[in-house]
PDB file of all heavy atoms in Angstrom:
ATOM      1  N   PRO A1438     -94.631  18.569  45.877  1.00 56.00           N
ATOM      2  CA  PRO A1438     -94.342  17.420  45.008  1.00 56.00           C
ATOM      3  C   PRO A1438     -94.974  17.527  43.628  1.00 56.00           C
ATOM      4  O   PRO A1438     -94.330  17.184  42.656  1.00 56.00           O
ATOM      5  CB  PRO A1438     -94.901  16.225  45.768  1.00 56.00           C
ATOM      6  CG  PRO A1438     -94.977  16.684  47.184  1.00 56.00           C
ATOM      7  CD  PRO A1438     -95.244  18.153  47.149  1.00 56.00           C
ATOM      8  N   PRO A1439     -96.195  18.027  43.496  1.00 54.00           N
ATOM      9  CA  PRO A1439     -96.775  18.105  42.148  1.00 54.00           C
ATOM     10  C   PRO A1439     -95.957  18.973  41.212  1.00 54.00           C
ATOM     11  O   PRO A1439     -95.870  18.706  40.034  1.00 54.00           O
ATOM     12  CB  PRO A1439     -98.154  18.709  42.381  1.00 54.00           C
ATOM     13  CG  PRO A1439     -98.468  18.381  43.782  1.00 54.00           C
ATOM     14  CD  PRO A1439     -97.177  18.433  44.513  1.00 54.00           C
ATOM     15  N   VAL A1440     -95.330  20.010  41.757  1.00 53.00           N
ATOM     16  CA  VAL A1440     -94.508  20.891  40.925  1.00 53.00           C
ATOM     17  C   VAL A1440     -93.315  20.130  40.357  1.00 53.00           C
ATOM     18  O   VAL A1440     -92.968  20.248  39.200  1.00 53.00           O
ATOM     19  CB  VAL A1440     -94.044  22.119  41.744  1.00 53.00           C
ATOM     20  CG1 VAL A1440     -93.113  22.974  40.912  1.00 53.00           C
ATOM     21  CG2 VAL A1440     -95.254  22.929  42.201  1.00 53.00           C
ATOM     22  N   VAL A1441     -92.727  19.306  41.230  1.00 52.00           N
ATOM     23  CA  VAL A1441     -91.603  18.482  40.793  1.00 52.00           C
ATOM     24  C   VAL A1441     -92.044  17.586  39.644  1.00 52.00           C
ATOM     25  O   VAL A1441     -91.358  17.433  38.661  1.00 52.00           O
ATOM     26  CB  VAL A1441     -91.066  17.635  41.968  1.00 52.00           C
ATOM     27  CG1 VAL A1441     -89.969  16.709  41.488  1.00 52.00           C
ATOM     28  CG2 VAL A1441     -90.550  18.543  43.062  1.00 52.00           C
ATOM     29  N   LEU A1442     -93.216  17.073  39.810  1.00 53.00           N
ATOM     30  CA  LEU A1442     -93.761  16.199  38.784  1.00 53.00           C
ATOM     31  C   LEU A1442     -93.903  16.938  37.458  1.00 53.00           C
ATOM     32  O   LEU A1442     -93.551  16.413  36.404  1.00 53.00           O
ATOM     33  CB  LEU A1442     -95.137  15.697  39.237  1.00 53.00           C
ATOM     34  CG  LEU A1442     -95.638  14.454  38.520  1.00 53.00           C
ATOM     35  CD1 LEU A1442     -94.856  13.241  38.969  1.00 53.00           C
ATOM     36  CD2 LEU A1442     -97.120  14.271  38.774  1.00 53.00           C
ATOM     37  N   GLU A1443     -94.354  18.169  37.539  1.00 54.00           N
ATOM     38  CA  GLU A1443     -94.491  18.974  36.326  1.00 54.00           C
ATOM     39  C   GLU A1443     -93.151  19.152  35.620  1.00 54.00           C
ATOM     40  O   GLU A1443     -93.054  19.047  34.417  1.00 54.00           O
ATOM     41  CB  GLU A1443     -95.055  20.359  36.667  1.00 54.00           C
ATOM     42  CG  GLU A1443     -96.576  20.378  36.674  1.00 54.00           C
ATOM     43  CD  GLU A1443     -97.104  21.669  37.246  1.00 54.00           C
ATOM     44  OE1 GLU A1443     -96.441  22.708  37.058  1.00 54.00           O
ATOM     45  OE2 GLU A1443     -98.172  21.621  37.886  1.00 54.00           O
ATOM     46  N   GLU A1444     -92.115  19.412  36.459  1.00 55.00           N
ATOM     47  CA  GLU A1444     -90.769  19.568  35.877  1.00 55.00           C
ATOM     48  C   GLU A1444     -90.365  18.325  35.107  1.00 55.00           C
ATOM     49  O   GLU A1444     -89.818  18.393  34.025  1.00 55.00           O
ATOM     50  CB  GLU A1444     -89.749  19.838  36.977  1.00 55.00           C
ATOM     51  CG  GLU A1444     -89.600  21.316  37.273  1.00 55.00           C
ATOM     52  CD  GLU A1444     -88.696  21.553  38.450  1.00 55.00           C
ATOM     53  OE1 GLU A1444     -87.870  20.675  38.758  1.00 55.00           O
ATOM     54  OE2 GLU A1444     -88.842  22.634  39.056  1.00 55.00           O
ATOM     55  N   GLU A1445     -90.663  17.201  35.707  1.00 55.00           N
ATOM     56  CA  GLU A1445     -90.331  15.941  35.044  1.00 55.00           C
ATOM     57  C   GLU A1445     -91.058  15.831  33.714  1.00 55.00           C
ATOM     58  O   GLU A1445     -90.489  15.420  32.713  1.00 55.00           O
ATOM     59  CB  GLU A1445     -90.726  14.757  35.928  1.00 55.00           C
ATOM     60  CG  GLU A1445     -89.648  14.412  36.938  1.00 55.00           C
ATOM     61  CD  GLU A1445     -90.097  13.344  37.906  1.00 55.00           C
ATOM     62  OE1 GLU A1445     -91.156  12.722  37.675  1.00 55.00           O
ATOM     63  OE2 GLU A1445     -89.371  13.136  38.873  1.00 55.00           O
ATOM     64  N   GLU A1446     -92.302  16.243  33.756  1.00 54.00           N
ATOM     65  CA  GLU A1446     -93.096  16.158  32.538  1.00 54.00           C
ATOM     66  C   GLU A1446     -92.528  17.047  31.439  1.00 54.00           C
ATOM     67  O   GLU A1446     -92.400  16.639  30.288  1.00 54.00           O
ATOM     68  CB  GLU A1446     -94.546  16.553  32.829  1.00 54.00           C
ATOM     69  CG  GLU A1446     -95.358  15.383  33.358  1.00 54.00           C
ATOM     70  CD  GLU A1446     -96.669  15.822  33.939  1.00 54.00           C
ATOM     71  OE1 GLU A1446     -96.954  17.035  33.908  1.00 54.00           O
ATOM     72  OE2 GLU A1446     -97.412  14.958  34.424  1.00 54.00           O
ATOM     73  N   THR A1447     -92.171  18.266  31.854  1.00 55.00           N
ATOM     74  CA  THR A1447     -91.604  19.190  30.846  1.00 55.00           C
ATOM     75  C   THR A1447     -90.295  18.638  30.304  1.00 55.00           C
ATOM     76  O   THR A1447     -89.997  18.768  29.126  1.00 55.00           O
ATOM     77  CB  THR A1447     -91.370  20.591  31.422  1.00 55.00           C
ATOM     78  OG1 THR A1447     -90.637  20.462  32.631  1.00 55.00           O
ATOM     79  CG2 THR A1447     -92.674  21.326  31.640  1.00 55.00           C
ATOM     80  N   MET A1448     -89.525  18.008  31.215  1.00 55.00           N
ATOM     81  CA  MET A1448     -88.258  17.412  30.760  1.00 55.00           C
ATOM     82  C   MET A1448     -88.513  16.318  29.730  1.00 55.00           C
ATOM     83  O   MET A1448     -87.851  16.245  28.703  1.00 55.00           O
ATOM     84  CB  MET A1448     -87.498  16.825  31.939  1.00 55.00           C
ATOM     85  CG  MET A1448     -86.330  17.676  32.379  1.00 55.00           C
ATOM     86  SD  MET A1448     -85.582  17.043  33.853  1.00 55.00           S
ATOM     87  CE  MET A1448     -84.907  15.512  33.255  1.00 55.00           C
ATOM     88  N   LEU A1449     -89.502  15.493  30.060  1.00 53.00           N
ATOM     89  CA  LEU A1449     -89.835  14.402  29.137  1.00 53.00           C
ATOM     90  C   LEU A1449     -90.315  14.951  27.802  1.00 53.00           C
ATOM     91  O   LEU A1449     -89.964  14.438  26.743  1.00 53.00           O
ATOM     92  CB  LEU A1449     -90.916  13.511  29.756  1.00 53.00           C
ATOM     93  CG  LEU A1449     -90.412  12.527  30.810  1.00 53.00           C
ATOM     94  CD1 LEU A1449     -91.583  11.924  31.570  1.00 53.00           C
ATOM     95  CD2 LEU A1449     -89.570  11.437  30.169  1.00 53.00           C
ATOM     96  N   ALA A1450     -91.083  16.019  27.889  1.00 52.00           N
ATOM     97  CA  ALA A1450     -91.604  16.605  26.659  1.00 52.00           C
ATOM     98  C   ALA A1450     -90.484  17.178  25.798  1.00 52.00           C
ATOM     99  O   ALA A1450     -90.470  17.028  24.580  1.00 52.00           O
ATOM    100  CB  ALA A1450     -92.609  17.698  27.000  1.00 52.00           C
TER     101      ALA A1450
END
Side-chain angles (χ1 to χ4, degrees):
Chain A
V1440 176
V1441 176
L1442 199 72
E1443 272 170 33
E1444 271 174 23
E1445 275 174 11
E1446 275 167 1
T1447 51
M1448 256 174 67
L1449 282 167

